[in-house]
Amino acid sequence: MPSQEGSTSNIDAKELYHQIYRTTTGYIGWTVIAISTLVLLSWAFDIEAGKHILPHFDSMKVNTALCFLASGIILRLASQPVITRAKHSVVALLAAFILMVSGLTLLEYALNWAIGIDNVFIMDKATPAENWPGRMSVGTAICFCLIGIGWLTTIVPVRYSSLMLQIVALITIAISGSALVGYLFGVQKFRLSVFSTMALHTSILFALCSVGMLLARPGKGLMSSAASAYIGGRSLRRLLPYIVLTPLLTSWLSMQGVAAGYYTDAFGFALSSMSSIMVLVLVGWLGAAALNYEEERFRSTLDSAPVATLMVDENGIIQMANQLARSLFRYQAHQLVGQPIETLIPKRLHQNYSGFRRQYINDPKQRMKVAGSDLFALRQDGTEFPAEISLNPVKTAEARFLMAAVVDITERIQAEQKILRLNRTHKVLSGINTLIVRAQSRDVLCEEATRITVKEGELFAAMVVEYDHEAGRCKVLHVHAAHKAIETRQFSEFETDTIRECLKKHCAVVHNDLRAQPHDAQLTDLIELDIQAMAALPLTLPQESKKSAFVLFRHEPFAFDQTEMTLLQEVAGDISFAMTTLEKSQRLEYLTHFDNVTDLPNRLLLTDRLLQAMHQVDKLQDVLSILYVDIDRFKQVNESLGLSGGDEVLRQVAHRIRACISKADTISRWGGDEFIVLLPGQSAAEVTAIANCITDELQSVITLDNGQELFISCSMGIAEYPHSGRDMDVLINGARSAMAAIKAHGGNNYQHFVPGSKDAHRDGLALETSLRHALAQDQFQLFYQPQIDITSRKVIGLEALIRWKHPTQGMIAPDSFIPLAEKTGLIIPIGEWVLREACRQAVATPGLKMAVNLSARQFHQDNLVAVIQQILIETGMSPADLELEITESALIYNVESAITTMEELIGLGVSISLDDFGTGYSSLSYLKRFPIDTLKIDKSFISEVATNPGSEIIVNTIIAMAHRLKLKVIAEGVETEEQLAMLHERGCDQAQGYLFSRPLPYQEAINAVRR
């Protein structure tokens, strides 16, 4: 900044000086215009005194006054900062006029003609006959010719026009100055071959015009030095009066001494010469002092510069170096001066630098060469450092130089590289977080994690490695590398030890300089790949049987610093969390959709596949069939063999059924001793062959693990879609009814379902009609089931449950009409009524949580949030006391929209619970994104939690996962103390069910709460 401010101040001072010179030129122009105008008016009105200006001198001729007037106008125009094209034309016209008048005058003198140029404008009657003609003198005409030529050169685009103008001005000053000096020494009339007497006033005006010509362009030509704001210009301007006046004064005094007889002419001449010598010595001494002062100030400024600075001549020799440069390059004082600049550049860069220096000398302009990665400087001790060099040209009277400012940018590059690494690591962390949400398997997670780490983090390689504790070996599970060689190599003992240490201590282990390791021979292949840094981070918990680590390799040594390792540990932690979550999700997914006894798809998965198959049939106009299989007398098998024996029989029956179907078919355990086989693309007639195959397979004896033998038979019902019904429940019920009919006749056979009458369809229409009247006629009622805190056994809330009191059929359960209401859209007004009625009644018991179910169709209303907000305002219900229960199936079709709606509901102050959890299809990757407070475990799992190990595992997993996500858990359908005890043992928070209370009308439920 100081150098920049100094440069700015110099520029401002220079501009100020130039403005002063231009102003002075303007004043000179006005002076010349005024005097010449006075003479012209005197000639016009025949005023004799005005013609002479000064008494006892010849009159100024008309042509002389006109030329001076033109010169004054030109000076006024030249003093302006900007000269337009029109003004250039005026200058050219006036200069041509001056040249024409003076040229014709000289022509008259040369040829002795009487053209009458002196009487063109005004007749000259005052000139005596002996002095005729009365034109301007030869000296005057010559000066005007020079002035005219000088100004014309400024109009023509000539390279050195300013220099030519100033030379002309100096010649004019020499001519007019000679006349002035002659007058000073008493010589008023003189004549030479090319010079004649010039009036005093004329010589003064010529001197003024010449000075104005010099000052008109102060920044160009000869005047650039004299008008400079630097020391040379300032010194010249200070000494100029002494240089001019001292010789004149000493010469005049010498002449006066000779005239008075004090000394001879020779001594007077010697005295005059001595005075001139003294003036020159004084000028030289003062100039040297000024230059010494400036150089001292320059060197002091250079030494105090904040960067290392070198001054290099055209031959590349260092002429000057400041203190910081000597310190940077580690040279003693005066050791750098005189050295070639190549001494400070590594040899491998000499050729490039020489070419650059030659180019710069040919085109010297300010430029900066920044190249921290490929430009290095060399110290005296042979060490190198990355440098940034700024170059500026310096031109003196003797030669051209360049100033080089050198900055050691080692720390800057290291900081930039660190920032780049951290930015890349942040990108890795962001990519991993995005991956966690969308990865559906551990393999995809690890494969993508290694790819993202290498690509975004710009690492050489990333690996997920599993360590076999018994064998003491590492197995690469997933790898992504910039070079294929690292993917096929075997781990060295050093790397294995590093991974073992990482997993044993469960912390990151870093080796930032592999070349310095004592096991260098084991790391030869890594070093050959230019890998110099390695880090291992644990991915699994210490108690897990199979332990894995995240292993990273980098080219740069010491690249894994503390800050980056903190981020990388966060990356490894995210991957570890995702792996654990995926394993639990996949286990829960399996337990949710597969039977844990037979490993067959369960009812939930079959329902999903059947619905998809029915949709495909409708689309392709095809058929499908289902085979409903029930083991005959299975209760007797359980009673004889026990549950484990019964489970083994189920597995063997499933195996024999699977042998009769193709891979495209699905066999599932529907429940108990029942199986359903889904057969896409096969009609009921074609399924007969499969039924016969199953019957034949079961004819052979079944041998259990304990060696016991038994024979098993099955009863089977066959239904075809769409012939047997266009609804899934109708289709399954049809196959079940056909199976039941066979079973009633002794079993061990199959039967096709034959659709009956259409009475069921008509009953469905009647039910829909009654349902539409029910809301208008207040046939709906709300019953409430208490929700209990398991630990304290206190009632903490109520769940509102709708009942339909039909005028003729009595109380109708929700399972009978809610699906129809969903299908017809009546669930919207019914659900709104339930919400309003529950809130209205709950106002009487503030602080008691009121849970209200939202159907899937109701949840996807566009105005759902506005409706709930309006109900809360109308009823005065506190939002904190309202809990909305939403099923998983309501959320999966448009997850992002569902999350937005739930967040808006949370914004009202209500809480949200996820109902029937475990029976839907939502991904656990979305579960952690849902803004919910509570998970409700479906009663189908609770009913079997004490008898079915699979249900127990599912319940345990749901509770553990919910608590890890900081969610509360409530169990539905608790009916026994055994179930409650098991839930309490697993840490379940709340429960509801017949064990505590059946659903009751509001007042009865409140009384139960108070009891």
Side-chain angles (χ1 to χ4, degrees):
M1 289 302 296
S3 61
Q4 185 177 356
E5 291 175 0
S7 176
T8 303
S9 63
N10 286 335
I11 293 173
D12 293 341
K14 180 179 179 181
E15 186 60 34
L16 177 63
Y17 282 129
H18 289 184
Q19 181 63 37
I20 292 173
Y21 297 147
R22 285 194 294 268
T23 302
T24 303
T25 301
Y27 286 142
I28 291 174
W30 280 123
T31 302
V32 174
I33 291 171
I35 294 174
S36 58
T37 302
L38 174 63
V39 172
L40 288 174
L41 290 175
S42 299
W43 277 100
F45 296 101
D46 199 16
I47 302 174
E48 195 64 30
K51 298 177 184 179
H52 293 270
I53 301 178
L54 296 173
H56 309 297
F57 285 92
D58 293 336
S59 62
M60 181 182 292
K61 306 306 178 186
V62 174
N63 291 353
T64 302
L66 285 173
C67 289
F68 276 128
L69 179 61
S71 298
I73 295 172
I74 291 175
L75 289 175
R76 278 297 305 151
L77 294 175
S79 68
Q80 298 177 9
V82 180
I83 302 177
T84 62
R85 182 176 296 181
K87 292 178 181 178
H88 270 299
S89 301
V90 173
V91 170
L93 184 63
L94 292 174
F97 171 77
I98 294 172
L99 185 60
M100 180 189 70
V101 172
S102 59
L104 290 174
T105 301
L106 289 175
L107 186 64
E108 283 185 311
Y109 277 117
L111 301 178
N112 199 21
W113 288 355
I115 302 176
I117 189 67
D118 49 333
N119 289 314
V120 171
F121 301 101
I122 296 176
M123 182 64 67
D124 182 7
K125 300 178 181 179
T127 301
E130 62 274 13
N131 292 337
W132 186 261
R135 51 189 176 235
M136 66 180 70
S137 68
V138 174
T140 302
I142 290 173
C143 289
F144 277 129
C145 278
L146 292 173
I147 290 174
I149 292 171
W151 286 116
L152 283 176
T153 57
T154 63
I155 305 303
V156 181
V158 180
R159 183 176 181 181
Y160 298 106
S161 59
S162 297
L163 179 62
M164 294 174 65
L165 176 67
Q166 291 163 0
I167 291 174
V168 165
L170 290 175
I171 294 173
T172 306
I173 286 177
I175 297 173
S176 59
S178 299
L180 287 174
V181 172
Y183 281 110
L184 179 64
F185 286 92
V187 180
Q188 296 184 4
K189 291 188 178 290
F190 47 87
R191 180 178 295 275
L192 300 174
S193 58
V194 294
F195 188 76
S196 60
T197 300
M198 182 182 293
L200 177 62
H201 46 69
T202 302
S203 60
I204 291 173
L205 288 179
F206 272 129
L208 288 175
C209 289
S210 300
V211 171
M213 292 168 69
L214 290 173
L215 298 180
R217 297 191 175 187
K220 300 178 180 180
L222 298 174
M223 287 299 294
S224 60
S225 298
S228 171
Y230 298 113
I231 183 64
R234 295 198 303 271
S235 300
L236 177 61
R237 290 190 294 274
R238 285 197 297 265
L239 296 175
L240 190 60
Y242 300 102
I243 296 172
V244 173
L245 295 177
T246 302
L248 291 176
L249 180 60
T250 55
S251 297
W252 184 81
L253 289 175
S254 175
M255 186 185 70
Q256 294 299 321
V258 171
Y262 295 141
Y263 39 77
T264 64
D265 292 346
F267 182 79
F269 179 77
L271 184 62
S272 177
S273 300
M274 187 63 189
S275 66
S276 298
I277 292 172
M278 291 180 65
V279 168
L280 292 176
V281 170
L282 177 64
V283 169
W285 180 81
L286 292 176
L291 290 175
N292 290 336
Y293 170 76
E294 285 300 313
E295 183 171 353
E296 182 180 352
R297 189 172 70 167
F298 171 72
R299 290 182 179 273
S300 176
T301 302
L302 197 64
D303 277 337
S304 62
V307 295
T309 306
L310 301 169
M311 186 174 182
V312 183
D313 63 16
E314 292 177 304
N315 298 318
I317 303 301
I318 300 173
Q319 298 296 330
M320 192 179 298
N322 67 353
Q323 178 63 38
L324 196 57
R326 296 192 294 271
S327 175
L328 177 63
F329 290 99
R330 299 175 184 174
Y331 280 84
Q332 297 297 323
H334 307 296
Q335 285 185 338
L336 269 177
V337 177
Q339 295 285 341
I341 190 63
E342 286 81 1
T343 306
L344 307 180
I345 300 173
K347 289 184 178 180
R348 67 179 185 279
L349 301 177
H350 281 186
Q351 184 175 359
N352 292 338
Y353 170 75
S354 298
F356 175 78
R357 181 165 59 83
R358 285 193 296 271
Q359 179 186 357
Y360 185 79
I361 290 174
N362 293 331
D363 183 19
K365 59 184 179 181
Q366 181 178 351
R367 68 179 70 183
M368 179 175 287
K369 183 177 181 63
V370 181
S373 60
D374 58 5
L375 180 62
F376 288 85
L378 182 66
R379 297 187 178 95
Q380 188 181 27
D381 58 9
T383 59
E384 298 181 7
F385 62 89
E388 177 182 280
I389 301 178
S390 301
L391 300 178
N392 284 283
V394 176
K395 185 178 181 181
T396 67
E398 299 176 353
R400 290 188 299 182
F401 301 88
L402 64 87
M403 298 294 293
V406 184
V407 179
D408 183 355
I409 58 174
T410 302
E411 293 183 358
R412 184 200 304 175
I413 290 178
Q414 290 174 348
E416 290 174 353
Q417 290 174 346
K418 183 176 181 180
I419 292 172
L420 287 175
R421 287 199 305 270
L422 292 179
N423 287 339
R424 291 195 295 264
T425 308
H426 276 291
K427 289 177 68 177
V428 172
L429 185 58
S430 176
I432 295 298
N433 288 333
T434 303
L435 172 64
I436 290 174
V437 176
R438 59 183 174 83
Q440 298 297 320
S441 69
R442 176 170 175 162
D443 287 340
V444 172
L445 172 70
C446 294
E447 187 67 32
E448 283 295 295
T450 55
R451 185 191 64 80
I452 290 172
T453 304
V454 171
K455 181 180 178 182
E456 301 295 346
E458 296 187 11
L459 277 76
F460 182 83
M463 300 178 179
V464 176
V465 179
E466 185 178 83
Y467 177 69
D468 187 342
H469 180 73
E470 294 181 359
R473 290 196 301 266
C474 292
K475 177 183 177 183
V476 177
L477 300 180
H478 299 278
V479 59
H480 193 90
H483 198 286
K484 292 293 183 182
I486 201 169
E487 299 181 7
T488 57
R489 63 181 291 275
Q490 295 294 323
F491 277 114
S492 66
E493 184 179 347
F494 173 78
E495 294 166 89
T496 303
D497 290 342
T498 299
I499 296 170
R500 184 189 300 112
E501 179 184 358
C502 162
L503 296 175
K504 182 179 180 180
K505 296 181 178 180
H506 196 67
C507 65
V509 177
V510 179
H511 296 293
N512 263 323
D513 190 1
L514 295 180
R515 295 180 185 273
Q517 295 300 323
H519 309 80
D520 192 86
Q522 301 180 19
L523 303 174
T524 303
D525 53 347
L526 288 181
I527 295 174
E528 287 176 353
L529 293 172
D530 197 26
I531 296 175
Q532 300 189 51
M534 171 188 177
L537 303 100
L539 290 180
T540 50
L541 298 176
Q543 64 270 20
E544 295 186 30
S545 57
K546 291 186 177 180
K547 299 180 181 180
S548 56
F550 198 41
V551 183
L552 308 175
F553 296 94
R554 261 216 170 105
H555 285 304
E556 306 89 350
F558 303 100
F560 295 113
D561 57 21
Q562 184 61 42
T563 306
E564 185 173 10
M565 286 307 301
T566 301
L567 292 175
L568 289 174
Q569 285 176 327
E570 187 174 349
V571 170
D574 287 350
I575 297 173
S576 176
F577 171 78
M579 290 169 63
T580 304
T581 303
L582 280 173
E583 288 174 359
K584 292 183 177 180
S585 174
Q586 289 169 357
R587 179 61 180 165
L588 182 59
E589 184 80 8
Y590 180 82
L591 293 174
T592 303
H593 293 95
F594 288 87
D595 176 56
N596 65 312
V597 175
T598 62
D599 289 332
L600 295 177
N602 61 11
R603 177 182 298 198
L604 184 62
L605 183 55
L606 177 76
T607 300
D608 180 52
R609 292 185 180 180
L610 180 54
L611 287 173
Q612 293 183 28
M614 291 167 65
H615 176 72
Q616 194 71 9
V617 167
D618 293 338
K619 183 178 180 181
L620 302 177
Q621 298 295 310
D622 201 355
V623 295
L624 67 81
S625 297
I626 63 170
L627 186 64
Y628 200 105
V629 182
D630 182 86
I631 301 176
D632 298 332
R633 297 172 298 280
F634 187 71
K635 183 178 180 181
Q636 181 181 350
V637 172
N638 271 336
E639 291 174 352
S640 301
L641 304 178
L643 292 177
S644 59
D647 289 346
E648 188 174 352
V649 170
L650 289 173
R651 285 191 288 269
Q652 293 211 29
V653 169
H655 177 73
R656 297 191 181 193
I657 294 175
R658 189 184 289 113
C660 294
I661 62 176
S662 67
K663 292 183 179 180
D665 304 326
T666 299
I667 174 177
S668 70
R669 185 184 177 194
W670 189 249
D673 60 343
E674 297 174 334
F675 300 88
I676 290 182
V677 182
L678 172 61
L679 303 161
Q682 301 184 49
S683 65
E686 294 171 321
V687 175
T688 301
I690 296 176
N692 288 327
C693 177
I694 294 173
T695 301
D696 293 341
E697 283 287 331
L698 294 177
Q699 292 295 327
S700 57
V701 66
I702 292 178
T703 304
L704 303 181
D705 292 340
N706 59 6
Q708 187 173 352
E709 297 181 346
L710 71 157
F711 289 91
I712 293 295
S713 65
C714 292
S715 300
M716 294 172 281
I718 301 171
E720 178 186 307
Y721 178 83
H723 178 69
S724 299
R726 301 196 63 85
D727 184 79
M728 181 183 69
D729 292 334
V730 173
L731 184 68
I732 294 174
N733 288 335
R736 183 191 292 116
S737 64
M739 179 274 299
I742 284 295
K743 203 173 189 67
H745 290 83
N748 195 24
N749 204 345
Y750 62 88
Q751 178 175 310
H752 292 276
F753 171 70
V754 178
S757 65
K758 297 183 180 179
D759 292 340
H761 180 62
R762 285 198 295 270
D763 289 344
L765 291 176
L767 185 64
E768 180 182 343
T769 303
S770 299
L771 189 61
R772 293 184 180 276
H773 291 299
L775 188 61
Q777 297 175 4
D778 294 330
Q779 296 176 10
F780 293 118
Q781 297 179 5
L782 286 185
F783 280 51
Y784 300 86
Q785 188 173 38
Q787 295 176 336
I788 309 298
D789 180 88
I790 293 179
T791 302
S792 64
R793 289 291 188 105
K794 291 183 178 180
V795 177
I796 60 173
L798 300 173
E799 180 179 8
L801 302 171
I802 190 171
R803 296 292 184 268
W804 181 12
K805 190 175 182 180
H806 195 277
T808 59
Q809 300 179 27
M811 197 66 72
I812 300 177
D815 293 344
S816 302
F817 67 90
I818 290 298
L820 182 60
E822 283 271 8
K823 185 175 181 180
T824 59
L826 290 172
I827 195 67
I828 301 297
I830 291 174
E832 187 174 337
W833 177 87
V834 170
L835 185 62
R836 182 175 279 103
E837 184 67 11
C839 290
R840 183 185 66 79
Q841 293 183 341
V843 171
T845 55
L848 192 65
K849 183 77 71 174
M850 177 61 70
V852 180
N853 287 277
L854 289 182
S855 69
R857 194 158 184 172
Q858 189 179 3
F859 178 77
H860 290 289
Q861 283 180 262
D862 292 337
N863 63 339
L864 173 66
V865 179
V867 168
I868 293 175
Q869 186 177 21
Q870 183 63 31
I871 290 174
L872 291 172
I873 294 172
E874 290 176 2
T875 61
M877 173 75 168
S878 172
D881 292 339
L882 178 61
E883 182 177 87
L884 300 175
E885 296 186 0
I886 306 170
T887 61
E888 288 182 82
S889 58
L891 307 176
I892 63 172
Y893 298 106
N894 191 336
V895 174
E896 298 301 330
S897 174
I899 291 174
T900 301
T901 302
M902 294 168 76
E903 289 174 345
E904 292 176 357
L905 292 173
I906 293 294
L908 296 179
V910 303
S911 57
I912 298 175
S913 66
L914 193 60
D915 198 11
D916 297 339
F917 184 76
T919 63
Y921 315 102
S922 63
S923 169
L924 292 182
S925 63
Y926 289 121
L927 178 60
K928 65 181 181 181
R929 299 179 58 198
F930 291 149
I932 59 177
D933 305 285
T934 308
L935 284 184
K936 296 192 72 174
I937 305 177
D938 187 64
K939 59 185 179 182
S940 63
F941 297 115
I942 302 302
S943 63
E944 299 178 349
V945 70
T947 59
N948 189 327
S951 296
E952 181 184 356
I953 292 173
I954 291 175
V955 171
N956 294 343
T957 303
I958 292 175
I959 293 173
M961 180 191 65
H963 285 168
R964 189 167 183 179
L965 294 174
K966 295 182 173 47
L967 302 177
K968 295 179 181 178
V969 182
I970 181 169
E972 293 183 290
V974 179
E975 298 180 358
T976 66
E977 287 291 346
E978 184 181 4
Q979 293 171 351
L980 182 63
M982 186 171 291
L983 291 171
H984 183 263
E985 181 182 349
R986 298 299 185 268
C988 185
D989 303 295
Q990 303 168 19
Q992 70 181 86
Y994 283 8
L995 177 62
F996 311 106
S997 173
R998 291 178 176 273
L1000 300 170
Y1002 181 73
Q1003 194 57 48
E1004 295 180 26
I1006 292 301
N1007 293 336
V1009 169
R1010 290 171 179 169
R1011 288 198 299 269

